[in-house]
Amino acid sequence: TVTVAGDEITCDFAGTADAQARGINVVLNYTAAYAIYAVTCAVAADIPHNAGSFRPIHVTAPEGCLLNAQPPQPVAARHIIGHFATPAVMGALGQAMPLPAEGATGLWGVNIQGTERPWAQTFFLSGGMGAGPEWDGLDATAFPSGVQAVPVEVIEATTPVRILEKSLIEGSGGAGKHRGGRGQRVRLAVDEAAHVSVMAERTRQGAPGRAGGEAGEPGRVVLEGTQLEPKAAFGMGPGVELELELPGGGGFGAT
C-alpha cells in the first residue's frame, strides 16, 4: 500500500509472507532502497539521491517477514526477492500516473564451482525491461538493478566454462502499443565437473503488462532437455549443456 499524506509518502508492505528457511529473505534497508528508488523514478527522477530526497519517503514491513528479515534468517540471495519491491511500489503508483510495465525484474544469478579442483565463477544475467507509455522495453537490460553482465571473454579466460550461445529470444517481450523488452538465451557447458547453482525468477508467470499490454514470456532453466526448478543446485559433467531462457518484459497499451 502506498499512501500520500501532505508532502510525505509511505510504502507499507504489510501482508508480506513470513521469512523463509532458504536465503531469499531481505533486510529492511534493502527493501527500503528499492522502494524509495521506485518513488524517485516515478515522481522525482531529476533530484539527486541524498538524505534530503529520502527523508519524505517512509518504508515499513512487518518484522520477521520476507522483506524485513531478522538474524539469523538467511539473506545471501536477497536480490531475487528484493528487486520486486520496485515494481510493487510502481504498480501502486501506476494507478495514478502512467508508469512502465513490469520487466524480468530479479537478476538471475549463476554460480559454478569446480568439484575436482578449486575454481569458481559467479555472474548475473538480465531479462527484458517492461515497455513504457512512449517506448518499447529495452532488451536484456537489468532494472531496477543496474548490474552489467560479465563479458563472455572474461568467463572463458578465467574458468573452464564455455558460453555456447547468447542471443535475444524473439517474441518473448509482451505485445502492446509498445513492446516489452526481449529476454536472452544463454547456453553454456563446462570442460570439467562442476557444481552449479542457479537463482531464477519469473519462470511460472511472465511479467505482467500495463494499460492493456500483454505479459512477457516466462523464463526457463533447462539441463540436457529437462526443465529444472527456478532455484536449483545440481552437478554438471564435461560437455553437459545448460540452457537459460530469461523472461521478457511486459507490454504497454492495447494493440
Side-chain angles (χ1 to χ4, degrees):
T1 301
V2 176
T3 304
V4 178
D7 59 359
E8 299 191 348
I9 188 167
T10 299
C11 304
D12 181 10
F13 289 93
T16 299
D18 292 339
Q20 303 295 300
R22 297 202 289 178
I24 59 172
N25 305 296
V26 188
V27 294
L28 186 60
N29 62 342
Y30 195 102
T31 301
Y34 279 95
I36 291 170
Y37 180 60
V39 174
T40 55
C41 282
V43 303
D46 57 336
I47 296 178
H49 285 190
N50 55 46
S53 63
F54 295 165
R55 195 171 297 125
I57 308 170
H58 311 284
V59 180
T60 62
E63 189 171 291
C65 79
L66 193 65
L67 294 177
N68 187 2
Q70 303 295 309
Q73 292 165 338
V75 298
R78 58 198 171 276
H79 74 280
I80 203 68
I81 298 296
H83 290 175
F84 282 86
T86 300
V89 172
M90 295 184 80
L93 293 173
Q95 299 174 64
M97 59 193 303
L99 291 175
E102 294 189 32
T105 305
L107 286 172
W108 284 28
V110 181
N111 176 264
I112 308 177
Q113 302 181 31
T115 57
E116 297 176 349
R117 65 183 180 94
W119 60 267
Q121 177 64 256
T122 297
F123 55 90
F124 293 102
L125 298 168
S126 305
M129 282 183 62
E134 302 294 338
W135 62 86
D136 292 342
L138 297 177
D139 300 325
T141 300
F143 180 83
S145 168
V147 172
Q148 293 182 321
V150 176
V152 169
E153 294 82 359
V154 172
I155 294 173
E156 294 187 335
T158 57
T159 60
V161 176
R162 289 181 290 113
I163 306 299
L164 307 176
E165 177 185 355
K166 287 192 78 173
S167 61
L168 297 175
I169 304 173
E170 294 298 333
S172 57
K177 180 181 179 181
H178 297 286
R179 175 190 58 80
R182 292 171 290 183
Q184 62 176 312
R185 177 181 292 106
V186 178
R187 293 171 44 243
L188 61 88
V190 293
D191 293 330
E192 300 178 13
H195 176 80
V196 183
S197 175
V198 176
M199 189 63 62
E201 259 298 343
R202 291 214 194 275
T203 60
R204 292 187 173 91
Q205 292 184 332
R210 193 182 299 279
E214 297 183 10
E217 289 295 316
R220 298 196 313 153
V221 179
V222 180
L223 181 67
E224 290 287 280
T226 300
Q227 187 168 344
L228 304 180
E229 288 296 311
K231 298 168 182 62
F234 49 90
M236 284 181 64
V240 172
E241 184 176 316
L242 175 65
E243 182 173 341
L244 307 170
E245 294 184 357
L246 278 83
F252 190 99
T255 54

